[in-house]
Amino acid sequence: MAGSEAKNSGSKQSGAKKKEVKKETGLGLTNRKADNFGEWYSEVVVNSEMIEYYDISGCYILRPWAMAIWEIMQGFFDPEIKKMKIKNCYFPLFVSPGVLEKEKEHVEGFAPEVAWVTKSGKTDLEIPIAIRPTSETVMYPYYSKWIRGHRDLPLKLNQWCNVVRWEFSNPTPFIRSREFLWQEGHTAFATKEEADAEVLEILELYRRIYEEFLAIPVIKGKKSEMEKFAGGLYTTSVEAFIPNTGRGVQGATSHCLGQNFAKMFEINFENEKGEKAMVWQNSWAYSTRTIGVMVMVHGDDKGLVLPPKVASVQVIVIPVPYKDANTQGIFDACTATVNTLCEAGIRAESDFRDNYSPGWKYSHWEMKGVPLRIEIGPKDLANKQARAVRRDNGAKIDIANDNLVDEVKKLLDTVQQNLFDVAKQKRDECIEVVHTWDEFVQALNQRKMILAPWCDEEAVEADVKARTKGEMGAAKTLCSPFDQPELPEGTKCFASEKPAKKWSYWGRSY
């Protein structure tokens, strides 16, 4: 943590060192979220101590402040999938080219992003080895070995791992990196009905991660044929939106793979009638991208804003001793406050560093996004109270020591809900319903998330992409929402003027 080395320095140079550390810390952001979003985002993820840049482009060090958020989400998701009788496993990072290239359509979708190992020391490998961009082709040869009869089904596995996707032009921490962490579930069933049911069950867990934990509103829907998972039957997703950039974000995906991979990898079983049949398969994943979406949606000009449910420190307690105050009494009150909150299951810490002023500490923990700050000064000590300051809106509340736990719990719940409500209001203000091409172009230029009637034809989507290509990037379908508005008879597609078949969300995306 910034300044810890100064605290531990007992040498005569400690004063100089303190000053030097303070100067290096550079508290406060030099870019505003509304003025230069990209630079603001880069500053926030580094200054809040979530990531550190690495010497290989597109690769980032996830520091404990970010890793803790990932672990909290994992702590929710892993028990939920275990309730669904999904078991964790681990498959190797390396893929042989023969296996990778077996499913042509799938490998074409990932080909530009595959990284290859070509040497061992100074010796060229006889056959290059790929590093997994995703694990369908790694896992499914073994599914064909393990699945023989209907009693071997369903086979439901998940792994928590890293993947590598190399080819892209604009790396962005969390959002688009060359290596990232994720979970990937791979399941096989005897029937399509079972597969279809699981796709939606998993998608609902993804909605809960975004809405209940990260306080980000998402839309559940189905991807277009052009945007679906390469080699799959259909793809469902939860879609988020970043109002500041006018870009959609694919939050997480749950795919029904159909029988395509079963055919390629000969994953067959003998059904109850003694007939040979092919399995139905799903794959589904969410990644550390979730953390980037959270930073983009909630962060402000003071830095990170963490929803209480995912904050590794929910409450930071700061002593505010004035001159001639009972400093030890204030410190003791801070320690007692932290102990009381921790015993009640609230993640609380204190900041007793003596080389920083209370004001500096306020800014530091605001930068790190801690949901609630508690200040204890001489007046609070005398009045047997603590002052709580909310990170989301800066509101200050005095809390009597006797009511501390209940009031803090209530405040954390309020902050969590408020972050979601504010994010939803901002997102909803960016949704524009259009019916014609001219309205579509105007809304796109205004950085809107566009809901439009569509004929659901691939050629028309390809044409929309081609016609909107520019410096900002082309528009594409984000998803067709499951919650479909009414489509009056005779409604025409906004882009082709053919009869519309459904409503779809469109926009630019990350």
Side-chain angles (χ1 to χ4, degrees), residues 295-306:
V295 176
M296 288 181 165
V297 168
H298 300 309
D300 63 18
D301 291 341
K302 289 181 178 179
L304 202 58
V305 179
L306 293 177

Side-chain angles (χ1 to χ4, degrees), residues 177-194:
S177 56
R178 287 187 167 155
E179 180 191 7
F180 55 87
L181 301 180
W182 74 350
Q183 59 67 221
E184 50 177 322
H186 295 269
T187 52
F189 300 91
T191 65
K192 184 174 185 289
E193 289 72 26
E194 290 171 280

Side-chain angles (χ1 to χ4, degrees), residues 349-366:
E349 288 184 10
S350 53
D351 187 346
F352 287 138
R353 288 177 294 173
D354 59 5
N355 56 319
Y356 291 111
S357 68
W360 187 96
K361 292 177 188 178
Y362 298 167
S363 298
H364 173 75
W365 293 105
E366 280 172 350

Side-chain angles (χ1 to χ4, degrees), residues 193-473:
E193 289 72 26
E194 290 171 280
D196 287 340
E198 188 203 62
V199 165
L200 297 181
E201 204 173 339
I202 292 291
L203 196 70
E204 173 59 13
L205 292 180
Y206 292 154
R207 181 201 67 78
R208 288 183 63 192
I209 283 172
Y210 273 95
E211 297 199 342
E212 294 178 16
F213 283 80
L214 299 171
I216 295 166
V218 289
I219 292 161
K220 291 203 286 189
K222 189 176 173 183
K223 288 286 193 185
S224 69
E225 284 298 302
M226 264 184 93
E227 293 295 322
K228 75 176 185 184
F229 183 65
L233 180 63
Y234 65 85
T235 291
T236 68
S237 68
V238 287
E239 299 286 331
F241 188 74
I242 312 299
N244 288 74
T245 60
R247 290 183 185 273
V249 182
Q250 182 176 282
T253 47
S254 183
H255 317 283
C256 179
L257 302 179
Q259 294 180 306
N260 199 6
F261 288 91
K263 194 175 179 180
M264 292 296 158
F265 290 94
E266 297 176 17
I267 312 175
N268 304 312
F269 70 102
E270 195 176 278
N271 66 20
E272 287 164 341
K273 297 175 188 170
E275 301 159 343
K276 190 180 172 186
M278 277 191 297
V279 298
W280 290 85
Q281 287 174 273
N282 292 339
S283 71
W284 28 270
Y286 81 93
S287 75
T288 37
R289 168 177 273 210
T290 47
I291 299 172
V293 179
M294 177 202 73
V295 176
M296 288 181 165
V297 168
H298 300 309
D300 63 18
D301 291 341
K302 289 181 178 179
L304 202 58
V305 179
L306 293 177
K309 277 197 177 178
V310 295
S312 59
V313 177
Q314 295 171 313
V315 181
I316 187 71
V317 179
I318 297 174
V320 190
Y322 296 110
K323 212 178 178 185
D324 305 325
N326 176 5
T327 304
Q328 193 54 52
I330 290 169
F331 279 22
D332 291 345
C334 288
T335 301
T337 298
V338 170
N339 291 341
T340 302
L341 293 174
C342 288
E343 280 164 21
I346 295 161
R347 298 187 286 275
E349 288 184 10
S350 53
D351 187 346
F352 287 138
R353 288 177 294 173
D354 59 5
N355 56 319
Y356 291 111
S357 68
W360 187 96
K361 292 177 188 178
Y362 298 167
S363 298
H364 173 75
W365 293 105
E366 280 172 350
M367 176 71 76
K368 289 175 75 70
V370 172
L372 208 59
R373 177 174 83 237
I374 285 182
E375 305 164 5
I376 298 178
K379 265 189 189 173
D380 304 300
L381 194 63
N383 295 336
K384 295 184 179 175
Q385 65 175 35
R387 167 158 287 193
V389 184
R390 284 171 55 171
R391 174 64 182 89
D392 60 331
N393 63 8
K396 294 175 180 174
I397 308 101
D398 290 330
I399 302 171
N401 291 349
D402 294 347
N403 300 334
L404 186 73
V405 169
D406 287 347
E407 289 301 314
V408 166
K409 280 184 175 175
K410 265 190 236 167
L411 275 174
L412 291 173
D413 287 345
T414 303
V415 170
Q416 182 79 27
Q417 188 60 48
N418 185 54
L419 284 173
F420 179 81
D421 292 345
V422 168
K424 188 173 187 302
Q425 185 190 342
K426 285 181 181 173
R427 194 273 318 263
D428 290 351
E429 283 168 2
C430 291
I431 296 173
E432 189 89 20
V433 180
V434 309
H435 290 86
T436 67
W437 179 254
D438 288 346
E439 289 173 351
F440 177 82
V441 172
Q442 189 180 351
L444 192 66
N445 291 338
Q446 291 169 346
R447 298 183 170 186
K448 299 288 189 182
M449 186 182 195
I450 301 159
L451 184 60
W454 181 39
C455 60
D456 196 17
E457 289 183 17
E458 266 188 77
V460 174
E461 182 173 3
D463 184 51
V464 170
K465 272 188 172 180
R467 288 161 75 185
T468 56
K469 202 171 182 183
E471 279 180 31
M472 297 278 289

